[in-house]
Amino acid sequence: MQLNIHNMICQSRVNGPGCRFVIWFQGCKFNCPGCFNPDTHSFEARMLMNPGSILSLILKQKDSIDGVSISGGEPLCQPEGLLDLLHEIRQKTSFSILLFSGYTYEEICKMPLGEQILSYVDVLIDGRYDKSRHSARNLLGSSNQQILILTNRYTQRDFEHIPSTEIIINSNGQITTSGIHPIIQNRLTK
């Protein structure tokens, strides 16, 4: 099974508690006005990878990260591949899993693979981005979104002091911005 991936960051501090490996899925059907990552909306193939290859990259960071954050685009537009990836992460690591989704918890539970997907997730940040309710606090792009703690791994307090934005310069000089800036909309570098 191939996943259509937009980008990955090996170590981030703005996409959940601690240092995290971040995966952005390519493709989103919501097209929320004002979305921070409009480059992730297209369903055209960008970087096709199987879950095992992604897991190998994650394992290379095993001594440097606390968990994996999955965002998009919309990860649930690729439910079978997402489920395979989550299964691989859970089977072969002890990392926490945080999932960002424009779908609400209730909508995910009604999906054919929704409850299986959620069974692997420690924290779900749900809801579509609403530009009129922009908040840029504690991983929430807008105030209608919510942080749902699905296991006992974290508490709401763990999400109170996460930085809102980071700028990463890799060894090739490529600059990537990540997170949510309170004033300027950020985009993942192409």
Side-chain angles (χ1 to χ4, degrees):
M1 163 122 348
Q2 296 283 306
L3 288 165
N4 192 8
I5 302 297
H6 178 79
N7 198 2
M8 291 182 276
I9 295 177
C10 295
Q11 296 179 21
S12 170
R13 295 208 172 268
V14 301
N15 289 284
C19 188
R20 308 188 70 79
F21 191 99
V22 186
I23 306 160
W24 284 272
F25 279 43
Q26 182 69 39
C28 181
K29 70 177 201 169
F30 295 124
N31 296 309
C32 299
C35 174
F36 302 118
N37 295 319
D39 294 339
T40 65
H41 293 182
S42 169
F43 285 94
E44 289 184 31
R46 182 171 170 99
M47 183 174 18
L48 298 177
M49 300 181 73
N50 65 51
S53 297
I54 296 170
L55 181 66
S56 294
L57 295 173
I58 293 168
L59 290 174
K60 288 181 182 179
Q61 301 299 318
K62 70 179 186 226
D63 296 327
S64 305
I65 61 173
D66 302 299
V68 177
S69 293
I70 300 172
S71 190
E74 175 51 61
L76 286 156
C77 286
Q78 301 179 61
E80 294 88 1
L82 174 60
L83 183 60
D84 287 350
L85 176 61
L86 295 175
H87 177 77
E88 289 287 316
I89 294 168
R90 213 27 116 215
Q91 290 296 311
K92 298 185 177 137
T93 78
S94 60
F95 297 137
S96 65
I97 298 173
L98 188 151
L99 176 65
F100 290 88
S101 178
Y103 288 101
T104 64
Y105 176 84
E106 294 78 13
E107 290 171 327
I108 296 170
C109 287
K110 293 177 184 174
M111 294 177 172
L113 298 176
E115 289 184 355
Q116 282 181 271
I117 288 169
L118 291 176
S119 73
Y120 291 109
V121 175
D122 294 293
V123 179
L124 172 67
I125 299 186
D126 79 341
R128 293 158 190 71
Y129 174 70
D130 182 344
K131 183 178 177 181
S132 70
R133 298 172 74 182
H134 181 79
S135 70
R137 291 184 41 241
N138 305 333
L139 300 180
L140 302 178
S142 56
S143 61
N144 60 297
Q145 297 172 323
Q146 56 186 347
I147 298 170
L148 298 170
I149 310 292
L150 304 179
T151 67
N152 61 3
R153 194 148 188 173
Y154 294 108
T155 68
Q156 290 290 337
R157 291 194 66 155
D158 294 313
F159 293 85
E160 291 176 1
H161 300 291
I162 296 172
S164 62
T165 304
E166 68 187 351
I167 298 172
I168 299 167
I169 304 171
N170 74 14
S171 60
N172 297 330
Q174 179 184 10
I175 298 171
T176 301
T177 59
S178 185
I180 303 170
H181 192 281
I183 299 170
I184 301 170
Q185 289 185 350
N186 290 306
R187 292 184 183 190
L188 298 172
T189 305
K190 291 182 180 179

